[in-house]
Amino acid sequence: MIHLTPFLVCALLAKASLAIPSPFTNLARQAGDVCPADALSCQNVSGVNSCCVETPLGLLLQTQFWNFEPAKGPVDSWTVHGLWPDKCDATPKVSCDPSREHPNIRDVLTENGKEDLLRWMEEFWVGIPTDEYLWANEWNRHGTCMSTIAPKCMPEDSATGLDAAIYFQKTADAFKSVPTYEFLASVGIEPNTTKTYSLDELESAFKATHGFIPALDCRNGALSHILYYFHLKGNIMDGTLVPLDALKRGSCPKTGIKYLPKTG
């Protein structure tokens, strides 16, 4: 039986759609500066300007790591992998615009006044072999595929790399909206060297806390990666994430799944 903690009670009272607070509101040079209020990616997008709604890659996956060996990031938090725009049938597409790739994300964030975000990323967006390698890879492969921060959607004379700064801020916001460690801990599932779970138990835990079922990936039978599925109402700068159940299951087996503590 799943026991409701105060955290879980609050989570269940939250709205299903997740607003993304944004310091970048109204920066887009969208068609006539007017976008339909109900534009939702993968749904009512016919004829809608691609600066107004993510299209054709309207399925957003907020992906997280649980790096337990070697340990990366806080012992009581998952860490960011990225925010991936996929086709609406969950078919991936990557590296959409090599001309917008950046070799140094630290410089991009600093030049766009995002020093606080950079410090947060150094704790919660950690990568192998280096943080910078992961950050550049996520922007170059995934961020450049987002239609609502394409060059034509950005304000004239905007700073170099503003589109990338928006991507990293929005990915951080999305990550914070789905606190995986807290979701699991609130129903009594915490890292342990011996305990195992069935896939049904874990999916039920997310259904009870998040309201939707993500995709769970495992490494050698242990939880290592999670993918939360969203549509997006509006643009990536000031839109609203609308969660849905994963369209594809991850790689975890049906039984015997471990949730190992971070060690070493």
Side-chain angles (χ1 to χ4, degrees):
M1 176 180 293
I2 293 175
H3 298 282
L4 300 184
T5 66
F7 170 86
L8 181 52
V9 172
C10 292
L12 292 174
L13 292 175
K15 293 182 178 179
S17 61
L18 302 168
I20 318 173
S22 174
F24 302 112
T25 300
N26 297 325
L27 284 181
R29 292 187 291 110
Q30 297 162 345
D33 292 325
V34 176
C35 289
D38 61 347
L40 181 65
S41 64
C42 293
Q43 296 189 31
N44 48 336
V45 299
S46 179
V48 178
N49 188 292
S50 61
C51 290
C52 295
V53 65
E54 285 297 326
T55 183
L57 306 182
L59 185 66
L60 300 187
L61 278 61
Q62 201 293 297
T63 56
Q64 303 180 13
F65 285 129
W66 180 254
N67 285 320
F68 53 88
E69 189 179 8
K72 299 286 284 186
V75 297
D76 60 351
S77 176
W78 288 55
T79 56
V80 184
H81 185 175
L83 186 64
W84 303 348
D86 283 0
K87 295 179 182 178
C88 296
D89 63 358
T91 301
K93 184 177 181 181
V94 298
S95 302
C96 296
D97 189 351
S99 70
R100 294 164 62 205
E101 293 182 359
H102 294 292
N104 192 318
I105 300 303
R106 291 179 188 276
D107 287 351
V108 167
L109 295 175
T110 300
E111 290 166 6
N112 282 276
K114 305 302 292 181
E115 292 87 351
D116 289 346
L117 173 62
L118 179 57
R119 285 191 290 270
W120 181 89
M121 288 169 58
E122 289 170 342
E123 182 175 4
F124 293 101
W125 198 332
V126 292
I128 298 173
T130 66
D131 298 351
E132 181 67 44
Y133 177 87
L134 175 60
W135 300 343
N137 187 69
E138 293 308 296
W139 166 251
N140 295 341
R141 285 175 58 83
H142 301 289
T144 60
C145 292
M146 290 189 163
S147 73
T148 60
I149 49 174
K152 68 178 182 178
C153 306
M154 304 306 294
E156 295 181 9
D157 302 321
S158 59
T160 299
L162 177 62
D163 50 356
I166 292 170
Y167 170 78
F168 286 102
Q169 182 66 65
K170 297 297 95 180
T171 304
D173 294 341
F175 171 82
K176 294 173 186 178
S177 77
V178 279
T180 303
Y181 191 93
E182 287 83 351
F183 283 161
L184 293 174
S186 69
V187 295
I189 299 175
E190 296 183 322
N192 186 285
T193 57
T194 59
K195 190 170 179 60
T196 62
Y197 301 91
S198 69
L199 183 60
D200 283 346
E201 285 179 292
L202 294 172
E203 289 182 343
S204 294
F206 285 106
K207 191 72 172 180
T209 54
H210 172 49
F212 299 87
I213 298 174
L216 302 175
D217 284 340
C218 287
R219 174 159 55 96
N220 297 325
L223 276 175
S224 61
H225 195 232
I226 189 167
L227 302 90
Y228 291 96
Y229 282 61
F230 297 94
H231 290 142
L232 182 67
K233 185 177 182 180
N235 64 59
I236 197 63
M237 294 176 237
D238 58 2
T240 301
L241 287 173
V242 180
L244 64 150
D245 289 336
L247 300 189
K248 296 180 179 179
R249 275 193 161 176
S251 63
C252 286
K254 291 185 177 181
T255 59
I257 301 170
K258 291 185 176 181
Y259 183 23
L260 295 175
K262 292 185 181 183
T263 59

